Amino acid sequence: MKYTITILGLLTICLIGHSDSQEPNSWKLDSKDIPIPLGASESLQASLKSIEQPSIKLRESQVPRNLEDWNLAIAQRTASRDVPLETVEKMMEVEIQKDTIGEVAVYRIEPKVVAKEHSDHIMLYVHGGAYVFGGGDASVAEASIIANSSRIKVVSVDYRMPPKHPFPQAIDDSVTVYKELLKDHRPAAIALGGTSAGGGLALAIIHRLKSLELPQAGAVYAGTPWADLSKTGDTLYTNEGLDRLLVTYNGTLEAAARLYANGESLKNPLLSPVYGDFTNFPPTILVTGTRDLFLSDTARTHQKIRASGGVADLLVFEAMSHAGYLLSLESPESQQTYQEISDFLKKHLN
């Protein structure tokens, strides 16, 4: 599956950077050596050795300060992730169709062969990108991976985002699509999920469905969810500078959280779903890694679902940073992630 590096490399290179310098055997954090973990897969070890340790100070300096800065950052990120849909279709063996559902822009993604277990199932996918980035054609990347690996039909929501459309627009657009899907699908046949902000949004949507007294989805996938937009989780501190993708909360992440929240408290459960009520929550699979800045968000969410009597599976990978399973699909970490998601959906979708 080496072709997948081409897609996901184009989608992530602007975030993680690259270096051709000599391979280091360790990173440094506060004058301490942090060895490349021998318990990680060989491919992940090699990947960590191939890049320079990210700079916290550099990330903190790269913060949009005003509307002009945000529009420029969004335009640059969009241009850097411009992978033609035809390329994604060919590489992931799916068919992608742009559509609107309830006046919300979506992408319908269908694998060449749908699994017999999923003949009447569908996934509602919500993309990541700190609620600011990742819209348009870029929103189909992981949705296409899941359609391919789980052999399930997927509807990816191209929800409206800041600066023009802050909270609660992303939730409102997603709920609109979900309500339309209910017209043709049993709720137990609908999966809901995403990675990062998409994972957090999926959790928040479940809270919103409950408040609207709408039937719940059959299963949830929360990949390293941004479940707490405030700077509260332990690993926002302990993994700062070790997470190769997010690096630090004190920069674009914090600025994006406040831009999206638009004056609302960051601990509103529809912004930070970890603070919500998880009673009768759908079965949920969560994924994270020991170097993930959102490890705490993921662990806290898992604990709250379990403490409320719900079903929750948690995958934690040695040395993996935020959403590391998206960086190299042939790696053991990525292979296990998408296999377990596939198994989970087959088990829990009715």
Side-chain angles (χ1 to χ4, degrees):
M1 294 177 62
K2 289 190 176 180
Y3 59 81
T4 56
I5 297 178
T6 304
I7 293 178
L8 294 166
L10 287 170
L11 295 179
T12 57
I13 192 71
C14 60
L15 287 177
I16 64 174
H18 179 73
S19 170
D20 292 321
S21 59
Q22 282 190 326
E23 294 186 353
N25 290 317
S26 65
W27 289 8
K28 289 187 179 296
L29 190 65
D30 296 332
S31 75
K32 291 193 302 184
D33 284 334
I34 310 294
I36 301 298
L38 298 179
S41 70
E42 291 183 2
S43 61
L44 181 51
Q45 290 181 52
S47 181
L48 288 171
K49 291 177 180 179
S50 71
I51 65 170
E52 292 180 350
Q53 183 173 354
S55 167
I56 296 173
K57 288 185 178 180
L58 178 61
R59 285 300 179 90
E60 290 177 340
S61 70
Q62 298 173 332
V63 182
R65 305 290 181 183
N66 50 45
L67 182 61
E68 182 180 358
D69 285 353
W70 275 113
N71 287 332
L72 178 61
I74 292 168
Q76 290 176 336
R77 187 74 62 87
T78 300
S80 71
R81 299 183 173 195
D82 186 18
V83 181
L85 293 181
E86 295 80 5
T87 301
V88 180
E89 286 182 316
K90 182 178 180 180
M91 293 181 173
M92 299 312 302
E93 298 181 344
V94 296
E95 294 181 359
I96 303 173
Q97 178 185 0
K98 292 184 179 182
D99 197 2
T100 57
I101 297 179
E103 299 185 354
V104 176
V106 301
Y107 293 79
R108 294 184 181 271
I109 306 164
E110 186 169 343
K112 292 293 179 67
V113 178
V114 175
K116 62 180 181 180
E117 297 94 336
H118 292 319
S119 59
D120 63 343
H121 297 165
I122 197 162
M123 169 172 267
L124 178 63
Y125 180 86
V126 282
H127 67 83
Y131 293 107
V132 181
F133 308 109
D137 288 358
S139 66
V140 307
E142 189 184 28
S144 298
I145 295 168
I146 293 172
N148 174 294
S149 57
S150 293
R151 301 297 179 187
I152 189 172
K153 297 177 183 178
V154 179
V155 171
S156 180
V157 184
D158 188 13
Y159 53 84
R160 285 166 284 186
M161 297 184 291
K164 289 185 178 180
H165 303 285
F167 173 81
Q169 191 68 65
I171 293 178
D172 289 347
D173 284 353
S174 302
V175 170
T176 294
V177 176
Y178 181 83
K179 290 165 70 174
E180 290 296 317
L181 292 181
L182 285 175
K183 295 178 180 179
D184 298 314
H185 300 83
R186 293 170 293 106
I190 302 174
L192 181 61
T195 280
S196 193
L201 179 56
L203 300 171
I205 292 167
I206 296 296
H207 289 329
R208 183 62 177 146
L209 296 178
K210 183 184 294 186
S211 70
L212 294 173
E213 298 184 350
L214 288 170
Q216 290 288 6
V220 175
Y221 156 53
T224 177
W226 197 9
D228 186 350
L229 270 60
S230 68
K231 192 175 183 181
T232 301
D234 183 48
T235 53
L236 294 179
Y237 299 87
T238 59
N239 279 343
E240 184 179 43
L242 287 180
D243 187 322
R244 61 192 288 193
L245 191 71
L246 298 180
V247 185
T248 180
Y249 177 86
N250 301 326
T252 301
L253 262 184
E254 181 179 17
R258 299 194 180 282
L259 182 69
Y260 175 59
N262 195 34
E264 289 284 331
S265 168
L266 294 182
K267 293 191 176 181
N268 179 331
L270 295 183
L271 285 165
S272 297
V274 73
Y275 298 107
D277 178 11
F278 285 85
T279 305
N280 298 320
F281 210 79
T284 302
I285 182 169
L286 304 105
V287 189
T288 185
T290 60
R291 293 194 176 195
D292 184 3
L293 211 63
F294 291 170
L295 170 57
S296 287
D297 281 24
T298 312
R300 291 162 64 204
T301 302
H302 175 257
Q303 185 274 330
K304 292 201 72 171
I305 296 172
R306 298 274 296 180
S308 298
V311 173
D313 286 2
L314 175 62
L315 303 180
V316 184
F317 290 100
E318 172 77 344
M320 193 172 73
S321 295
H322 182 68
Y325 49 87
L326 279 171
L327 301 183
S328 179
L329 293 193
E330 81 280 7
S331 70
E333 292 85 0
S334 184
Q335 293 285 327
Q336 184 178 350
T337 293
Y338 290 107
Q339 182 60 59
E340 295 220 22
I341 292 171
S342 177
D343 294 342
F344 192 86
L345 295 182
K346 287 183 173 68
K347 179 178 180 180
H348 292 286
L349 289 182
N350 183 359

